[in-house]
Amino acid sequence: MQEANSPQSTKGRGWPAERLQRIGKKAALSVLIGGLFVWLLAGHAPNRTAPPTQSGMRKDYLVPPRFDTLQADPRDTHVLYIDPLHLPPPVSAPLYVANLAEDCGGYLVSVRQVLCGRAHLFGNVAPIVHLPAAKLIVSLQVMSVQHDLHDINIDAHSKVYAKDDTGKELVGSYLSNFRFPGGIGALFELPAPSPSARLLTYFAGTLVLSSLSQEEKFAERYESRLYPTLSQLSPHPQPLPQPPPAQRVSFRISHVPLPIATHIYGLLSARLLPNDQLGRFGSLPNLLCLTRTQAAALRKLFPPFVPDPGPLHLPNHLILSPYTSGHFVAPIGGMNLSQLDCTLTPTLGRYGLMPTRLTIKLMRASDDRAPLVWQSRFDFWDHEPVIFIMPSQWSPAGERLAVWMELYLDMPPPLANPVPPGQCIHLTVPDGELGGGLTGRVLVEGAPLALGIAKIALTCVEGAVKGQEDEVWLPLDKDGRWFLQGLYPGRYEVHLLQAQPYLSPFSVSDGFQWADYVRLHNGIQKGAWQNAIQQPIKVVAGSMTALQDWNYLPVSRGSMPPGVVAQGKLNP
């Protein structure tokens, strides 16, 4: 009995307590790991990525991976991705979500991308450049705020066709489909357009929307852990009606640019704003257009600072062709079941000027009244947003419909303006010695000459390099500010010689004249610089000395403050 009951004995009816503990721990660990794996497969893992940021790029789950050039947007970002199930990682993709769009019975069909060889819509070409065409790959996307697209797919029975601006007809073939947060998409291949073609006069077809297969639903459940669904993006999700298992959606999108042509990019957002947020502009009943400093004061009332009501809560991103009309629709924040139906026809001018014909219709589904229409011509400028405050009859009492719009030529937008190469500053201290610096701003009617360049003359009037002079070009940042560092300590005379705005290489090339620019841009017939010559400016080693602003002002000012365009000047 003593031998059988001793802890060292392996005989008898029971297992040793130590061995039972080891087996119990292994079993518990196996059950825990197995349960976690089943939980992952069932699609209950939390989202591992945040919702799309309002100012950055989103990540799309794009199939097939062999079309890597679809992600050729230089603003793109990449993340470290570790997947225990060894499924394909999400592929980076451009953020364009609603350019050249058409509303088809509650479905928003838009062209997201067009590939032509290695060229794509996010790479611009100068107006004088002529590139040959190759076969096209077009990426279409479908979004909706009325239908749930979570279990819907675009299948291979979809048909598309197009015609280029030379009259050549193109018939497309289905390649594959893909999904992204808030919608679905498909890739189609078209034969090469005419060598002289610059756009597709129309791109049309019928998309067949059908239910996902069981395998696709499994992949969709897995993908839902990586990306938020439409209901998760909405701050107040509402139950959405399910579309039928199979549905045909016909669309026709006009004037689709080709990658081998010059593009004009744009952003647009529309929302209701309380009159008290608009200040004195809220009490004016007629239409107003705010530019420069006036528009900047209201900039944070629009995306990316405030979400848009669309499926992705992002502003409409536009890609337009010069001298042809581009059509798109835009939801209105704060005005349910209403949207803007917009047509823009931009042209290219000097110095980044883009004279544009606009047609904006207010489409309201809540009543049977005829849509309100505003047609006009407006001079947009490269990278300068404007805010249209629509007439009071377009909005409910106490609010005003405001439309923020921006057109630009560069993709991505520039962060700096290159200065002429080869300049040398003789007034800077040698390497290893401590010098001082100067800084200042260049303004036009109080607004920064953003991303421009300025040429200044420096003369040392007191110090180790007394009597020496330099002329130097300096880049300006978005606030119109310049910096010059490493100067010999002493006292200087600083003279502004020239100023020039940012000029895109994709605008109309022409000899730059400052007087011509401020006449077109600001309406200044005759102006002068404030504080053009400043002296003596003391430069102290190890510190930065700020100069007074160089501000270009008209000799005689009109009745309207700078940055405000009266309604009479907007009408044709």
Side-chain angles (χ1 to χ4, degrees):
M1 289 292 296
Q2 292 179 355
E3 182 180 359
N5 293 332
S6 65
Q8 305 298 328
S9 175
T10 58
K11 299 178 182 180
R13 294 173 296 175
W15 291 83
E18 184 178 351
R19 187 172 182 182
L20 284 174
Q21 290 178 357
R22 290 197 303 268
I23 295 176
K25 291 180 180 179
K26 292 181 179 180
L29 184 60
S30 300
V31 171
L32 179 62
I33 294 176
L36 179 61
F37 186 76
V38 172
W39 184 65
L40 286 170
L41 290 180
H44 297 291
N47 292 331
R48 290 186 289 175
T49 59
T53 61
Q54 303 299 328
S55 60
M57 305 302 298
R58 72 164 187 262
K59 301 295 175 181
D60 279 6
Y61 195 74
L62 189 60
V63 180
R66 62 191 179 95
F67 295 107
D68 294 332
T69 49
L70 281 174
Q71 297 83 51
D73 189 335
R75 298 170 302 169
D76 215 349
T77 57
H78 300 274
V79 297
L80 179 63
Y81 181 80
I82 302 176
D83 184 9
L85 298 182
H86 306 291
L87 293 180
V91 182
S92 308
L95 186 59
Y96 283 79
V97 295
N99 65 83
L100 303 170
E102 184 178 69
D103 193 351
C104 309
Y107 294 98
L108 187 67
V109 182
S110 64
V111 172
R112 194 199 68 171
Q113 179 60 284
V114 180
L115 301 178
C116 184
R118 300 188 64 180
H120 47 82
L121 288 180
F122 305 114
N124 215 347
V125 298
I128 60 174
V129 174
H130 182 86
L131 298 176
K135 70 176 181 180
L136 305 176
I137 296 177
V138 180
S139 173
L140 278 183
Q141 59 184 19
V142 178
M143 297 180 291
S144 178
V145 294
Q146 301 180 22
H147 306 290
D148 187 2
L149 300 177
H150 188 266
D151 290 332
I152 302 301
N153 205 7
I154 300 177
D155 66 29
H157 294 91
S158 303
K159 303 293 184 183
V160 297
Y161 51 93
K163 179 185 288 187
D164 65 26
D165 53 349
T166 68
K168 182 178 180 180
E169 295 184 351
L170 312 172
V171 178
S173 57
Y174 173 90
L175 290 177
S176 64
N177 58 64
F178 60 90
R179 311 189 66 80
F180 60 92
I184 54 180
L187 303 178
F188 296 89
E189 182 178 276
L190 280 77
S194 172
S196 59
R198 288 297 172 264
L199 60 90
L200 301 178
T201 56
Y202 65 82
F203 184 79
T206 301
L207 301 179
V208 179
L209 307 184
S210 58
S211 298
L212 293 175
S213 64
Q214 293 299 325
E215 294 79 7
E216 291 170 328
K217 288 183 179 181
F218 173 80
E220 177 68 15
R221 285 198 304 270
Y222 172 77
E223 182 186 344
S224 66
R225 304 195 313 275
L226 304 178
Y227 305 111
T229 62
L230 178 61
S231 61
Q232 291 171 316
L233 285 173
S234 176
H236 303 290
Q238 300 294 330
L240 300 174
Q242 290 284 349
Q247 186 174 359
R248 297 180 180 272
V249 177
S250 299
F251 68 94
R252 184 184 180 90
I253 300 175
S254 300
H255 298 156
V256 178
L258 294 178
I260 55 178
T262 305
H263 310 133
I264 295 177
Y265 305 96
L267 295 169
L268 180 139
S269 176
R271 62 194 321 104
L272 289 179
L273 297 178
N275 286 343
D276 55 359
Q277 286 187 299
L278 297 173
R280 61 191 178 96
F281 302 122
S283 61
L284 301 177
N286 295 329
L287 182 142
L288 284 175
C289 176
L290 308 183
T291 65
R292 298 187 284 279
T293 54
Q294 303 291 346
L298 302 177
R299 178 65 185 85
K300 289 194 175 182
L301 301 179
F302 297 89
F305 309 99
V306 177
D308 248 22
L312 289 179
H313 302 284
L314 298 170
N316 280 265
H317 290 65
L318 316 175
I319 299 181
L320 307 171
S321 291
Y323 312 103
T324 58
S325 60
H327 175 258
F328 54 93
V329 294
I332 302 175
M335 189 180 291
N336 295 330
L337 301 178
S338 299
Q339 64 185 14
L340 291 181
D341 187 287
C342 307
T343 301
L344 296 182
T345 308
T347 59
L348 294 176
R350 293 175 297 168
Y351 314 141
L353 174 65
M354 288 176 280
T356 302
R357 297 288 305 182
L358 300 95
T359 301
I360 298 179
K361 298 180 182 180
L362 177 59
M363 312 296 293
R364 294 172 292 197
S366 57
D367 53 48
D368 297 329
R369 291 178 294 177
L372 297 174
V373 182
W374 175 61
Q375 291 181 316
S376 183
R377 176 188 178 276
F378 185 77
D379 288 341
F380 287 92
W381 287 87
D382 189 19
H383 298 291
E384 291 190 8
V386 299
I387 295 178
F388 296 103
I389 301 178
M390 306 307 291
S392 56
Q393 62 265 31
W394 287 53
S395 316
E399 295 179 302
R400 294 291 290 274
L401 173 59
V403 181
W404 164 61
M405 193 178 302
E406 179 179 353
L407 298 182
Y408 49 97
L409 295 167
D410 301 86
M411 178 57 67
L415 300 176
N417 195 352
V419 297
Q423 63 184 6
C424 179
I425 307 177
H426 301 91
L427 296 175
T428 54
V429 299
D431 293 341
E433 296 186 19
L434 182 62
L438 297 175
T439 182
R441 290 195 307 167
V442 181
L443 312 175
V444 179
E445 290 190 301
L449 191 68
L451 301 180
I453 54 177
K455 186 179 182 180
I456 67 173
L458 290 172
T459 303
C460 182
V461 297
E462 180 182 322
V465 289
K466 180 179 179 179
Q468 292 195 22
E469 300 179 359
D470 262 330
E471 292 185 358
V472 56
W473 283 97
L474 297 172
L476 309 179
D477 62 15
K478 291 186 177 181
D479 296 323
R481 186 171 296 278
W482 56 270
F483 299 90
L484 182 59
Q485 298 177 336
L487 294 173
Y488 277 101
R491 296 181 183 275
Y492 290 80
E493 176 184 294
V494 186
H495 185 192
L496 174 64
L497 300 178
Q498 297 181 43
Q500 182 173 306
Y502 173 82
L503 300 177
S504 171
F506 308 113
S507 61
V508 176
S509 60
D510 197 359
F512 178 78
Q513 297 291 331
W514 175 259
D516 194 26
Y517 168 75
V518 293
R519 179 182 59 82
L520 293 172
H521 187 268
N522 299 80
I524 299 177
Q525 299 295 334
K526 185 177 181 181
W529 286 103
Q530 287 185 328
N531 309 312
I533 301 177
Q534 300 182 40
Q535 66 170 347
I537 304 298
K538 187 176 182 180
V539 174
V540 180
S543 66
M544 186 73 70
T545 302
L547 278 69
Q548 299 180 63
D549 292 340
W550 287 318
N551 192 12
Y552 192 81
L553 294 174
V555 175
S556 60
R557 187 184 302 276
S559 59
M560 297 297 291
V564 181
V565 182
Q567 182 182 15
K569 293 185 178 181
L570 290 174
N571 292 331

